[in-house]
Amino acid sequence: MGRSIEPLAVEKVIGDVVDWFVSEAKLTVQFGSKQVSNGCKIKPSLAADRPLVRVLAPSNNATNLYTLVMVDPDAPSPSEPTFREWLHWIVVDIPEGSDATQGKEVVSYMGPNPGRGIHRYVFVVFRQRGGSLVGVETCLEEERANFNTRHFASKHALALPVAAVYFNSQRQPKPRRSR
């Protein structure tokens, strides 16, 4: 597909989360009517519920399966990302051309909860080698801090990423009380 990964490099998604890769698929992520594009701003309240995610590849081969990983590499703050990467979601066995609901959710979706600063929320899709990841150990909910996308991909023999997209989000101001 040859989609540009330049925004991912400029904003250090490539480097902080994944290595250089060739984009071979189209990844669409949508929160309600809001389509995610690299660097767009999305309020945490809009992203509280899991998005509609679809993986489209030129082969259009329904036997190809994909894994989706969503992380925040800026937790708890971009200036001190001591929890890098914070794991927000993992779905495996997504059939090509389908949305993530057709896969198996192994780590439940957690919406953005940015602390200080502007956080990047990254969706990465890997093509699975050799079929299903049935039996992939689920990451425990308490093990979300210091997740490592590269390590996860290597441990489960995933190919290089085929697509990625990220959005920015920051803490929403609390509504003021009227006196």
Side-chain angles (χ1 to χ4, degrees):
M1 290 224 152
R3 300 179 65 89
S4 174
I5 62 171
E6 184 177 330
L8 301 171
V10 170
E11 291 302 319
K12 298 183 182 167
V13 169
I14 293 175
D16 288 347
V17 179
V18 294
D19 295 322
W20 279 100
F21 66 96
V22 175
S23 182
E24 297 176 0
K26 180 178 180 186
L27 171 63
T28 60
V29 179
Q30 197 166 335
F31 290 100
S33 63
K34 177 77 172 180
Q35 179 82 27
V36 174
S37 60
N38 285 321
C40 73
K41 293 180 175 83
I42 295 182
K43 293 179 181 178
S45 59
L46 181 62
D49 295 325
R50 81 181 79 173
L52 176 64
V53 176
R54 184 173 295 273
V55 180
L56 302 169
S59 67
N60 201 19
N61 183 346
T63 62
N64 286 337
L65 298 174
Y66 296 87
T67 293
L68 169 72
V69 175
M70 177 187 173
V71 295
D72 171 2
D74 301 318
S77 76
S79 60
E80 293 183 42
T82 55
F83 295 145
R84 177 179 290 165
E85 303 158 22
W86 186 271
L87 178 61
H88 282 264
W89 198 21
I90 296 179
V91 182
V92 301
D93 295 346
I94 303 168
E96 185 172 304
S98 299
D99 65 63
T101 62
Q102 302 303 305
K104 178 183 175 193
E105 184 177 71
V106 295
V107 174
S108 62
Y109 178 79
M110 173 187 280
N113 186 19
R116 296 179 309 273
I118 298 172
H119 290 237
R120 298 165 294 166
Y121 290 87
V122 181
F123 295 87
V124 182
V125 173
F126 299 90
R127 190 172 53 78
Q128 296 173 197
R129 295 179 183 160
S132 176
L133 283 186
V134 170
V136 65
E137 62 200 60
T138 59
C139 297
L140 301 174
E141 300 295 319
E142 58 269 10
E143 294 180 2
R144 291 181 184 257
N146 300 114
F147 180 80
N148 186 301
T149 301
R150 288 180 186 95
H151 177 70
F152 176 83
S154 175
K155 181 176 181 180
H156 297 289
L158 299 172
L160 287 173
V162 295
V165 67
Y166 79 97
F167 68 90
N168 292 318
S169 191
Q170 65 186 52
R171 181 176 295 231
Q172 290 178 256
K174 296 188 189 241
R176 292 185 176 180
R177 292 187 201 165
S178 58
R179 293 185 181 202

